[in-house]
Amino acid sequence: MSLGGGPGFDHVSFCIATKFLHDIQPQRSDLLPNRIKTQVYDLYNDDWEPVMESLGECFDDQEHLTMHHVDLRLDLADEAHEQLRSSLQTVDIIIAQFVLHENASFIAQDVEIDGVPQKQIVGVMRDILTMAPAGTIMIITDSANTLFPYLKDAANKNGWSYLCAEEQLREEGKRRAYLGPKSFLILEREVYK
């Protein structure tokens, strides 16, 4: 599942990564590559549809690419998100690349808790973190990491573990992982709360 994946670039990435992982296996002749099914959710789905159709022609029948509507400013319960609600029940990987920061004012809002306003993740992102099945991986890259403290807090409350720039460092100051730019967040849903 690709959130805000417009022209389908996440599908291309999934297909390339799958082919690479298949090709480096010593016994690859015995293995069939996994079929890639990418559902792209974007606010401008109608505008991206012709691009997606052209991109789909570049792949064989083993890869499947579809476009759907999402509005990250709304809750998952909104009638426009019927397909997203259905897809969320069986999702394996969720990618959100360079889409959350531009919607930050809608995604993280002040919510009053015990009379004190606190920023929290709301809307579709809150609902995804609440409803995604155990084992789901979410990869977020963005132009800034200002939402990450709120995303990590919401993820932690809903049974997700996470890794981002701060978590890469060990106590000795050595990295335990060398992953991407400073504005990335990798989440894994460990338990369904």
PDB file of all heavy atoms in Angstrom, residues 118-139:
ATOM      1  N   GLN A 118      -2.430  18.619  23.872  1.00  0.00           N
ATOM      2  CA  GLN A 118      -1.239  17.875  23.467  1.00  0.00           C
ATOM      3  C   GLN A 118      -1.384  17.513  21.998  1.00  0.00           C
ATOM      4  O   GLN A 118      -2.457  17.153  21.549  1.00  0.00           O
ATOM      5  CB  GLN A 118      -1.097  16.595  24.288  1.00  0.00           C
ATOM      6  CG  GLN A 118      -0.896  16.816  25.753  1.00  0.00           C
ATOM      7  CD  GLN A 118      -0.823  15.494  26.508  1.00  0.00           C
ATOM      8  OE1 GLN A 118      -0.667  14.438  25.928  1.00  0.00           O
ATOM      9  NE2 GLN A 118      -0.931  15.572  27.824  1.00  0.00           N
ATOM     10  N   LYS A 119      -0.274  17.598  21.256  1.00  0.00           N
ATOM     11  CA  LYS A 119      -0.307  17.203  19.849  1.00  0.00           C
ATOM     12  C   LYS A 119      -0.386  15.687  19.770  1.00  0.00           C
ATOM     13  O   LYS A 119       0.360  14.981  20.419  1.00  0.00           O
ATOM     14  CB  LYS A 119       0.939  17.684  19.118  1.00  0.00           C
ATOM     15  CG  LYS A 119       0.862  19.115  18.682  1.00  0.00           C
ATOM     16  CD  LYS A 119       1.199  19.212  17.208  1.00  0.00           C
ATOM     17  CE  LYS A 119       1.309  20.641  16.772  1.00  0.00           C
ATOM     18  NZ  LYS A 119       0.032  21.268  16.581  1.00  0.00           N
ATOM     19  N   GLN A 120      -1.317  15.221  18.937  1.00  0.00           N
ATOM     20  CA  GLN A 120      -1.467  13.792  18.706  1.00  0.00           C
ATOM     21  C   GLN A 120      -1.806  13.546  17.248  1.00  0.00           C
ATOM     22  O   GLN A 120      -2.352  14.413  16.568  1.00  0.00           O
ATOM     23  CB  GLN A 120      -2.573  13.214  19.586  1.00  0.00           C
ATOM     24  CG  GLN A 120      -2.210  13.182  21.039  1.00  0.00           C
ATOM     25  CD  GLN A 120      -3.073  12.187  21.804  1.00  0.00           C
ATOM     26  OE1 GLN A 120      -4.145  11.807  21.369  1.00  0.00           O
ATOM     27  NE2 GLN A 120      -2.589  11.787  22.955  1.00  0.00           N
ATOM     28  N   ILE A 121      -1.489  12.349  16.798  1.00  0.00           N
ATOM     29  CA  ILE A 121      -1.837  11.933  15.442  1.00  0.00           C
ATOM     30  C   ILE A 121      -3.342  11.688  15.391  1.00  0.00           C
ATOM     31  O   ILE A 121      -3.899  11.015  16.256  1.00  0.00           O
ATOM     32  CB  ILE A 121      -1.067  10.662  15.043  1.00  0.00           C
ATOM     33  CG1 ILE A 121       0.434  10.927  15.073  1.00  0.00           C
ATOM     34  CG2 ILE A 121      -1.508  10.150  13.680  1.00  0.00           C
ATOM     35  CD1 ILE A 121       0.918  12.010  14.134  1.00  0.00           C
ATOM     36  N   VAL A 122      -3.996  12.242  14.375  1.00  0.00           N
ATOM     37  CA  VAL A 122      -5.450  12.110  14.224  1.00  0.00           C
ATOM     38  C   VAL A 122      -5.755  11.639  12.803  1.00  0.00           C
ATOM     39  O   VAL A 122      -4.874  11.533  11.958  1.00  0.00           O
ATOM     40  CB  VAL A 122      -6.175  13.457  14.516  1.00  0.00           C
ATOM     41  CG1 VAL A 122      -5.940  13.894  15.959  1.00  0.00           C
ATOM     42  CG2 VAL A 122      -5.740  14.547  13.555  1.00  0.00           C
ATOM     43  N   GLY A 123      -7.022  11.377  12.554  1.00  0.00           N
ATOM     44  CA  GLY A 123      -7.487  11.061  11.208  1.00  0.00           C
ATOM     45  C   GLY A 123      -7.009   9.717  10.699  1.00  0.00           C
ATOM     46  O   GLY A 123      -6.827   8.763  11.455  1.00  0.00           O
ATOM     47  N   VAL A 124      -6.816   9.637   9.389  1.00  0.00           N
ATOM     48  CA  VAL A 124      -6.462   8.385   8.734  1.00  0.00           C
ATOM     49  C   VAL A 124      -5.194   7.775   9.322  1.00  0.00           C
ATOM     50  O   VAL A 124      -5.136   6.563   9.550  1.00  0.00           O
ATOM     51  CB  VAL A 124      -6.300   8.589   7.204  1.00  0.00           C
ATOM     52  CG1 VAL A 124      -5.649   7.385   6.554  1.00  0.00           C
ATOM     53  CG2 VAL A 124      -7.653   8.842   6.559  1.00  0.00           C
ATOM     54  N   MET A 125      -4.181   8.572   9.585  1.00  0.00           N
ATOM     55  CA  MET A 125      -2.933   8.013  10.106  1.00  0.00           C
ATOM     56  C   MET A 125      -3.142   7.387  11.478  1.00  0.00           C
ATOM     57  O   MET A 125      -2.606   6.304  11.756  1.00  0.00           O
ATOM     58  CB  MET A 125      -1.828   9.072  10.145  1.00  0.00           C
ATOM     59  CG  MET A 125      -1.299   9.453   8.786  1.00  0.00           C
ATOM     60  SD  MET A 125      -0.783   8.048   7.747  1.00  0.00           S
ATOM     61  CE  MET A 125       0.547   7.348   8.708  1.00  0.00           C
ATOM     62  N   ARG A 126      -3.905   8.016  12.338  1.00  0.00           N
ATOM     63  CA  ARG A 126      -4.224   7.422  13.641  1.00  0.00           C
ATOM     64  C   ARG A 126      -4.949   6.104  13.438  1.00  0.00           C
ATOM     65  O   ARG A 126      -4.632   5.090  14.073  1.00  0.00           O
ATOM     66  CB  ARG A 126      -5.091   8.371  14.466  1.00  0.00           C
ATOM     67  CG  ARG A 126      -5.580   7.770  15.786  1.00  0.00           C
ATOM     68  CD  ARG A 126      -6.833   8.423  16.320  1.00  0.00           C
ATOM     69  NE  ARG A 126      -7.905   8.372  15.330  1.00  0.00           N
ATOM     70  CZ  ARG A 126      -8.751   9.372  15.107  1.00  0.00           C
ATOM     71  NH1 ARG A 126      -8.673  10.501  15.776  1.00  0.00           N
ATOM     72  NH2 ARG A 126      -9.698   9.254  14.193  1.00  0.00           N
ATOM     73  N   ASP A 127      -5.919   6.110  12.547  1.00  0.00           N
ATOM     74  CA  ASP A 127      -6.720   4.913  12.308  1.00  0.00           C
ATOM     75  C   ASP A 127      -5.883   3.784  11.709  1.00  0.00           C
ATOM     76  O   ASP A 127      -6.071   2.616  12.054  1.00  0.00           O
ATOM     77  CB  ASP A 127      -7.905   5.244  11.403  1.00  0.00           C
ATOM     78  CG  ASP A 127      -8.846   6.265  12.040  1.00  0.00           C
ATOM     79  OD1 ASP A 127      -8.855   6.382  13.286  1.00  0.00           O
ATOM     80  OD2 ASP A 127      -9.567   6.952  11.287  1.00  0.00           O
ATOM     81  N   ILE A 128      -4.964   4.104  10.817  1.00  0.00           N
ATOM     82  CA  ILE A 128      -4.073   3.088  10.249  1.00  0.00           C
ATOM     83  C   ILE A 128      -3.208   2.489  11.341  1.00  0.00           C
ATOM     84  O   ILE A 128      -3.056   1.263  11.429  1.00  0.00           O
ATOM     85  CB  ILE A 128      -3.221   3.674   9.106  1.00  0.00           C
ATOM     86  CG1 ILE A 128      -4.098   3.921   7.872  1.00  0.00           C
ATOM     87  CG2 ILE A 128      -2.046   2.749   8.770  1.00  0.00           C
ATOM     88  CD1 ILE A 128      -3.402   4.674   6.752  1.00  0.00           C
ATOM     89  N   LEU A 129      -2.647   3.330  12.206  1.00  0.00           N
ATOM     90  CA  LEU A 129      -1.814   2.825  13.292  1.00  0.00           C
ATOM     91  C   LEU A 129      -2.620   1.977  14.270  1.00  0.00           C
ATOM     92  O   LEU A 129      -2.089   1.074  14.903  1.00  0.00           O
ATOM     93  CB  LEU A 129      -1.135   3.989  14.022  1.00  0.00           C
ATOM     94  CG  LEU A 129      -0.050   4.715  13.229  1.00  0.00           C
ATOM     95  CD1 LEU A 129       0.362   6.004  13.934  1.00  0.00           C
ATOM     96  CD2 LEU A 129       1.149   3.808  13.006  1.00  0.00           C
ATOM     97  N   THR A 130      -3.900   2.256  14.377  1.00  0.00           N
ATOM     98  CA  THR A 130      -4.770   1.510  15.279  1.00  0.00           C
ATOM     99  C   THR A 130      -5.240   0.191  14.667  1.00  0.00           C
ATOM    100  O   THR A 130      -5.357  -0.811  15.368  1.00  0.00           O
ATOM    101  CB  THR A 130      -6.012   2.367  15.640  1.00  0.00           C
ATOM    102  OG1 THR A 130      -5.561   3.582  16.237  1.00  0.00           O
ATOM    103  CG2 THR A 130      -6.921   1.651  16.608  1.00  0.00           C
ATOM    104  N   MET A 131      -5.480   0.163  13.360  1.00  0.00           N
ATOM    105  CA  MET A 131      -6.173  -0.964  12.743  1.00  0.00           C
ATOM    106  C   MET A 131      -5.321  -1.905  11.886  1.00  0.00           C
ATOM    107  O   MET A 131      -5.780  -2.990  11.544  1.00  0.00           O
ATOM    108  CB  MET A 131      -7.332  -0.428  11.895  1.00  0.00           C
ATOM    109  CG  MET A 131      -8.358   0.315  12.725  1.00  0.00           C
ATOM    110  SD  MET A 131      -9.627   1.109  11.736  1.00  0.00           S
ATOM    111  CE  MET A 131     -10.451  -0.309  11.053  1.00  0.00           C
ATOM    112  N   ALA A 132      -4.114  -1.530  11.542  1.00  0.00           N
ATOM    113  CA  ALA A 132      -3.295  -2.401  10.692  1.00  0.00           C
ATOM    114  C   ALA A 132      -3.018  -3.722  11.403  1.00  0.00           C
ATOM    115  O   ALA A 132      -2.861  -3.765  12.619  1.00  0.00           O
ATOM    116  CB  ALA A 132      -1.977  -1.712  10.342  1.00  0.00           C
ATOM    117  N   PRO A 133      -2.978  -4.826  10.658  1.00  0.00           N
ATOM    118  CA  PRO A 133      -2.756  -6.130  11.284  1.00  0.00           C
ATOM    119  C   PRO A 133      -1.328  -6.295  11.808  1.00  0.00           C
ATOM    120  O   PRO A 133      -0.401  -5.631  11.342  1.00  0.00           O
ATOM    121  CB  PRO A 133      -3.045  -7.124  10.157  1.00  0.00           C
ATOM    122  CG  PRO A 133      -2.947  -6.363   8.896  1.00  0.00           C
ATOM    123  CD  PRO A 133      -3.208  -4.926   9.213  1.00  0.00           C
ATOM    124  N   ALA A 134      -1.174  -7.194  12.776  1.00  0.00           N
ATOM    125  CA  ALA A 134       0.155  -7.524  13.291  1.00  0.00           C
ATOM    126  C   ALA A 134       1.019  -8.005  12.139  1.00  0.00           C
ATOM    127  O   ALA A 134       0.552  -8.688  11.238  1.00  0.00           O
ATOM    128  CB  ALA A 134       0.049  -8.586  14.378  1.00  0.00           C
ATOM    129  N   GLY A 135       2.281  -7.620  12.157  1.00  0.00           N
ATOM    130  CA  GLY A 135       3.215  -7.986  11.101  1.00  0.00           C
ATOM    131  C   GLY A 135       3.348  -6.949  10.006  1.00  0.00           C
ATOM    132  O   GLY A 135       4.231  -7.046   9.164  1.00  0.00           O
ATOM    133  N   THR A 136       2.483  -5.939  10.008  1.00  0.00           N
ATOM    134  CA  THR A 136       2.560  -4.879   8.998  1.00  0.00           C
ATOM    135  C   THR A 136       3.837  -4.063   9.199  1.00  0.00           C
ATOM    136  O   THR A 136       4.197  -3.734  10.326  1.00  0.00           O
ATOM    137  CB  THR A 136       1.340  -3.948   9.099  1.00  0.00           C
ATOM    138  OG1 THR A 136       0.151  -4.700   8.892  1.00  0.00           O
ATOM    139  CG2 THR A 136       1.418  -2.829   8.067  1.00  0.00           C
ATOM    140  N   ILE A 137       4.488  -3.729   8.118  1.00  0.00           N
ATOM    141  CA  ILE A 137       5.657  -2.850   8.119  1.00  0.00           C
ATOM    142  C   ILE A 137       5.213  -1.525   7.514  1.00  0.00           C
ATOM    143  O   ILE A 137       4.529  -1.496   6.492  1.00  0.00           O
ATOM    144  CB  ILE A 137       6.803  -3.427   7.262  1.00  0.00           C
ATOM    145  CG1 ILE A 137       7.238  -4.800   7.760  1.00  0.00           C
ATOM    146  CG2 ILE A 137       7.977  -2.451   7.179  1.00  0.00           C
ATOM    147  CD1 ILE A 137       7.934  -4.797   9.090  1.00  0.00           C
ATOM    148  N   MET A 138       5.607  -0.423   8.140  1.00  0.00           N
ATOM    149  CA  MET A 138       5.338   0.904   7.587  1.00  0.00           C
ATOM    150  C   MET A 138       6.670   1.632   7.441  1.00  0.00           C
ATOM    151  O   MET A 138       7.449   1.693   8.381  1.00  0.00           O
ATOM    152  CB  MET A 138       4.399   1.717   8.483  1.00  0.00           C
ATOM    153  CG  MET A 138       4.012   3.060   7.867  1.00  0.00           C
ATOM    154  SD  MET A 138       2.959   4.109   8.906  1.00  0.00           S
ATOM    155  CE  MET A 138       1.503   3.107   9.084  1.00  0.00           C
ATOM    156  N   ILE A 139       6.897   2.158   6.246  1.00  0.00           N
ATOM    157  CA  ILE A 139       8.125   2.911   5.967  1.00  0.00           C
ATOM    158  C   ILE A 139       7.713   4.327   5.606  1.00  0.00           C
ATOM    159  O   ILE A 139       6.938   4.545   4.676  1.00  0.00           O
ATOM    160  CB  ILE A 139       8.925   2.271   4.820  1.00  0.00           C
ATOM    161  CG1 ILE A 139       9.280   0.823   5.173  1.00  0.00           C
ATOM    162  CG2 ILE A 139      10.178   3.094   4.517  1.00  0.00           C
ATOM    163  CD1 ILE A 139       9.845   0.029   4.023  1.00  0.00           C
TER     164      ILE A 139
END
